[in-house]
Amino acid sequence: MAPLQAIQQHLFTLAQLWNAWNGLDDQSRRPTQVPLSPYTAETRVKELLPPSGNALWYRKPASNIAAWSKEWLPIGNGYLGAMIQSDPAKDMIQLNLETFWSGGPFANESYTGGNRDAFEAVQITDKLDEIRQRIFRSKNGETDSIAPLTYPALNYGSFSGAGFLVLSRNSSVTSDYLRWLDLDSGVLKTTWKEDKTSFYREYFCSYPTKSCSVYTKSSVVRPHDSLSYSFKPLEELTNIRTTCQDASTLKYRGQSNDRGMMYEFLARVQTKPPGRVSCHTTISHGKTSTVLSVTGASESWVTWVGDTNYNIDAGDAAHDFTFLGPDPHNSLVGSLNTATLLSYQELLHEHLVDYTEELNGRFSLDLGATPDFSKSTEEQVREYSRSDGNTHLEWVLFNYGRYMLFTSGRGVLPSNLQGVWAKDIRPPWSAAAGAWMMTQVIDHLDYGSGSIDWWRRQGWPLVKAAFTGQTNAYDQGTAEFWLENLFVDQHTKDGSMVVNPCNSPEQAPITFGCAHFQQLIWELFNGVEKGFEFSGDPDVAFLAEVRAKKARLDRGLHIGSWGQLQEWKVEKDRPDDLHRHLSHLIGLYPSYSIASYPDGGEVPGLSREALLKAVRTSLHHRGDGRGPDANAGWEKVWRAACWAQLGEADRFYAVFKYAVSENFGYNLFSLYDPMSYDPIFQIDANLGVPAWATRGSVKGARIRGGIGISFAWREGVPYDVTLTFDRAILPTRDVRVLFDGKVIDSFVGQPGMVRKIQV
């Protein structure tokens, strides 16, 4: 369905559902005498949910804040995030701002991010060289400490929650309750009844207007009914003030701490009929409360905007790395005025156009599953079986991961460890953004996502900072850094170049030549080669140095004594190591230095067949993610994705089902320590969910080289395979298409080419 048609259908369906729910005839708008079946019956659910079944749905509101990571549902636009409880009487909306951080230079002007002062450079360089030599000369290629190099990152801080927006009603006993997150429209919806009155509520965050809205409608105006809106700050935040900006607008502002980052929200309520809003402030027990109250309206909606005084453009030497921007208030006033000049339907329409075109208009996955409208998402999660799985739930989970990244990653900053959602001021691991950044920068070019202009303006200066001509003595691009920090291996004396010191993430040994370092640096240098001609950089000497060191680089691909791919260049692997990380397999997934290793081999004496056999051995011995060191969804999904990359469908699906059955909440959040009272949400596994089915289709997937791919499959055999080559970015590409281990097509891809593949 075309995007505009989908939007029109969505709006029309909403009107139909409202009329049907209230027993109204479309022509007369008068009550009909058709009796209503119970709302929670399967037929009623079918009427309300999208026909595709592409939704999470529930028969009751989310529980209290302790159930935040298991039951509450997310909305967002990248700039703002919110977690929704959907309680008819007291609806808690937990608020987030993507840039709200409690530490850094805002909290301490002398903050250095853990970097040493410049005057210590010579001393640190000498200490580093001593450590490097100690590692090379030691019998086992290790050292027990790099203490002289470490430095506490004082005032590092954390991503932080910002409080709640609370919708309160003098609700009576409710019935026929349903809430659902419609992944086809990006709108969360709730409906219920009180006596003979029907209520409908929907929530969404608009990317075009950088705002979020909650709309509430009742079938009749009840004289004694009231609805109020108020902010509930987190008590740990400081300098908090909630005031009436005007008769229909709340202002809520404060700081992360006494000297910390400033934040502000503005929330405006509009009604139908208009003008049924008042704002007042009360003081009770020493606490100030500011409330917007609505009476005598059948429809009301609140729209909020929010921001901090963070400025990404002030994170450079010219601004002394302060990241300090202006007070956000004036900008927020303008943003709120712009958003609220629109009617609610216009605001919703803008959101639907953006969401449909940008998320659902480019890619689709069909697993051939039939939705089950008789069982809620919670019931399906409870009943999920490691023996049988649930293809439709898995399809929804896949789409949900795309929704989460889309609604959390479109702002100024990338999605963090919890997307853009965190309820506390200090979430675990600070909810910090973690990324192999240069891998993502080069992928942005390689997959055809970024333009040549973007590559020259933003991508290449991260590779080679000196190209900008605006650097100081401390600036280095990533490739420049590694050109200076690779060393000839003095331990094995094989002439290769290695990293020293290094460790494999969260494993103990401090050594040299760690596999994941070596694999990623090879990919970095490979990306430099691919991207150089588009950079506009005339420095061919730089390119020559990259090529020379790439040729001597240890690839991090060594087979050990029990047939495994070694995690370190000096063998330290144990067959019984069930560690959660698979760092030495990063080149298999999510990266490519192993997955794309050629048949003829690039490392002397190492064939593709031998390499993948070693990878299988390592993956088998790491287990299915039930080791003693963690119980996280991401460790299981990572393993599942690796088995999928190896073409091992049965092993992939077994581990994947284990992850879903063990580590996903009723709201399909990926959980760490899922059986705890307040389990930790980690977005990693939600973003790594692969798909499995005996039949289905994919449209609009992306592969390296700026190539789109669409295909269908049945019983493991693909058909209708089409490759579509972008008209820009990479001019030509040698392409080989393999199926079942055999090359079925080989050609040179050209810009604008469309290639049908016969299987």
Side-chain angles (χ1 to χ4, degrees), residues 386 578 622-630 635-636 639 658:
R386 292 181 62 185
L578 300 177
R622 275 289 160 91
D624 57 8
R626 68 178 79 200
D629 55 346
E635 61 179 324
K636 300 175 181 66
R639 285 158 169 77
Y658 177 40

Side-chain angles (χ1 to χ4, degrees), residues 22 192-199 218-220 222 225:
N22 291 290
W192 70 94
K193 276 190 171 182
E194 296 178 19
D195 299 323
K196 296 181 180 180
T197 305
S198 304
F199 291 86
S218 60
S219 57
V220 297
R222 307 204 307 180
D225 218 357

Side-chain angles (χ1 to χ4, degrees), residues 647-660:
E648 303 259 5
D650 290 340
R651 299 199 71 166
F652 145 69
Y653 197 37
V655 180
F656 175 70
K657 287 186 291 185
Y658 177 40
V660 176

Side-chain angles (χ1 to χ4, degrees), residues 692-751:
W692 183 95
T694 57
R695 63 184 177 89
S697 64
V698 173
K699 294 181 180 179
R702 302 290 296 179
I703 56 179
R704 295 183 190 278
I707 306 170
I709 182 169
S710 299
F711 61 94
W713 73 93
R714 185 184 299 111
E715 300 300 332
V717 179
Y719 62 95
D720 289 344
V721 181
T722 303
L723 300 181
T724 304
F725 292 74
D726 293 351
R727 296 184 180 277
I729 308 297
L730 306 181
T732 62
R733 189 87 174 213
D734 292 330
V735 178
R736 290 190 312 152
V737 182
L738 288 82
F739 173 65
D740 200 21
K742 299 177 182 178
V743 177
I744 60 173
D745 200 0
S746 180
F747 59 95
V748 177
Q750 302 288 340

Side-chain angles (χ1 to χ4, degrees), residues 365-602:
L365 170 70
D366 177 12
L367 297 181
T370 302
D372 185 351
F373 293 108
S374 68
K375 295 179 180 179
S376 69
T377 303
E378 177 176 343
E379 292 170 302
Q380 293 184 54
V381 172
R382 286 182 183 274
E383 296 177 9
Y384 188 87
S385 166
R386 292 181 62 185
S387 59
D388 299 326
N390 179 332
T391 305
H392 179 261
L393 181 67
E394 293 154 9
W395 175 72
V396 170
L397 182 57
F398 177 88
N399 292 335
Y400 189 45
R402 296 185 70 239
Y403 167 87
M404 292 170 71
L405 184 59
F406 185 77
T407 55
S408 67
R410 300 177 76 197
V412 174
L413 301 177
S415 298
N416 64 39
L417 186 59
Q418 295 188 183
V420 71
W421 304 284
K423 64 182 172 66
D424 302 314
I425 63 167
R426 285 180 292 274
W429 298 284
S430 300
W436 302 285
M437 191 184 79
M438 284 312 302
T439 297
Q440 298 181 16
V441 168
I442 293 172
D443 281 355
H444 197 48
L445 176 75
D446 207 8
Y447 280 95
S449 308
S451 66
I452 291 176
D453 177 67
W454 173 88
W455 176 244
R456 291 179 176 178
R457 187 181 70 255
Q458 290 183 258
W460 188 253
L462 293 171
V463 173
K464 181 174 180 282
F467 178 57
T468 65
Q470 299 175 348
T471 61
N472 59 45
Y474 309 108
D475 284 339
Q476 279 188 316
T478 308
E480 293 168 305
F481 175 85
W482 285 115
L483 288 174
E484 289 189 5
N485 286 279
L486 291 171
F487 301 91
V488 176
D489 181 352
Q490 299 173 28
H491 186 90
T492 67
K493 295 181 170 39
D494 63 359
S496 69
M497 305 202 75
V498 295
V499 176
N500 183 3
C502 65
N503 77 309
S504 196
E506 300 186 30
Q507 293 271 32
I510 302 170
T511 180
F512 71 95
C514 302
H516 89 288
F517 269 85
Q518 303 296 140
Q519 292 170 23
L520 288 177
I521 293 170
W522 183 87
E523 292 183 17
L524 169 66
F525 287 171
N526 196 48
V528 169
E529 286 189 278
K530 288 188 289 186
F532 181 81
E533 65 178 295
F534 308 107
S535 69
D537 190 345
D539 189 355
V540 293
F542 168 73
L543 178 62
E545 185 180 5
V546 166
R547 285 173 167 164
K549 291 197 173 179
K550 179 189 172 193
R552 296 185 63 187
L553 184 70
D554 187 294
R555 291 284 301 272
L557 305 175
H558 300 276
I559 298 178
S561 60
W562 43 277
Q564 86 283 11
L565 184 70
Q566 292 179 197
E567 193 161 357
W568 304 269
K569 188 167 184 179
V570 175
E571 186 171 1
K572 307 174 188 298
D573 310 81
R574 303 190 329 269
D576 62 349
D577 183 1
L578 300 177
H579 196 276
R580 57 195 173 278
H581 282 278
L582 305 174
S583 299
H584 54 316
L585 305 186
I586 194 170
L588 176 68
Y589 183 87
S591 213
Y592 70 90
S593 56
I594 294 174
S596 297
Y597 190 84
D599 290 335
E602 293 171 322

